[in-house]
Amino acid sequence: GILIGPKGRGSNMAAIADACASGKLAAEAAVVVAPNDTSPAVETAQARGLRVAVVPPGDAYGARLLEALQGVDIVCLAGYLRLLPSEVLREFPDRILNIHPALLPEFGGKGMYGMHVHEAVVAAGKTESGCTVHLVNDVYDEGRILLQRRCPVLPDDTPETLAARVLREEHQAYVEALQSVISSQTHVTGGR
């Protein structure tokens, strides 16, 4: 299951779905869960023939998310910017992944997403950035790190040029980390 946010284009969701469709990942993108039907990522999902469930935040949000994720083994956040309800965290222990556009623990936490992260990296004068795939817990960007990919911050980088370079790394990192999680679950459980 892939949870998306209200504004993203859905490129990480697409990278995961494409890796599933091509057989690069031994998985199926079963459902894309969106907070509304106007998210640009919804159109990306529909263009790939993915099932989309719209679950707006509100009363019984956790229960409605769980209903949309029924039958799912692993959850990937792709542009999803909220803390997950505790019942969702309990249902998927060590099986919810997120990608962050920086090398955590730097430039993480509440409010550090998208272009805000790249602006902070450039402003700090860093010479290296990248992305981090981590497990999700009840604190923004503090779950166990599964994988990081690095790239340079060039002297003439703007937040936009850095974002484009990091995004290329994100697409590879998410698929690599997800394959590792799928492999470890198949090994431990004997297959699903």
Side-chain angles (χ1 to χ4, degrees):
I2 305 170
L3 274 60
I4 61 174
K7 296 180 182 175
R9 298 177 315 268
S11 67
N12 276 311
M13 177 263 309
I16 293 167
D18 292 350
C20 291
S22 72
K24 186 172 183 177
L25 281 176
E28 173 190 355
V31 64
V32 173
V33 181
N36 59 54
D37 60 2
T38 60
S39 168
V42 168
E43 189 175 318
T44 303
Q46 291 170 334
R48 283 172 167 71
L50 300 175
R51 183 169 70 87
V52 175
V54 176
V55 181
D59 292 343
Y61 181 58
R64 290 183 292 115
L65 274 179
L66 287 175
E67 185 177 322
L69 293 168
Q70 199 164 26
V72 165
D73 292 320
I74 298 171
V75 176
C76 296
L77 308 185
Y80 183 85
L81 301 177
R82 305 172 63 87
L83 287 176
L84 282 170
S86 58
E87 59 265 44
V88 176
L89 293 172
R90 282 193 304 273
E91 184 68 24
F92 296 96
D94 294 331
R95 293 182 291 134
I96 304 174
L97 286 70
N98 187 34
I99 191 151
H100 185 76
L103 299 172
L104 292 175
E106 288 190 310
F107 306 105
K110 186 174 176 133
M112 291 302 286
Y113 61 89
M115 204 54 69
H116 299 291
V117 174
H118 304 299
E119 289 166 354
V121 170
V122 169
K126 295 293 185 177
T127 59
E128 185 177 59
S129 190
C131 59
T132 304
V133 181
H134 63 93
L135 294 175
V136 174
N137 61 20
D138 60 352
V139 180
Y140 286 109
D141 301 325
E142 289 194 12
R144 182 168 54 91
I145 292 172
L146 300 176
L147 184 140
Q148 291 184 317
R149 288 184 63 95
R150 298 171 183 275
C151 64
V153 178
L154 303 176
D156 61 346
D157 263 335
T158 64
E160 293 77 14
T161 59
L162 178 58
R165 188 174 312 110
V166 169
L167 189 60
R168 287 191 295 274
E169 299 299 328
E170 287 182 42
H171 295 162
Q172 293 179 35
Y174 221 152
V175 171
E176 286 176 32
L178 192 50
Q179 184 57 54
S180 177
V181 170
I182 291 167
S183 296
S184 69
Q185 285 193 343
T186 302
H187 176 72
V188 170
T189 64
R192 286 192 175 241

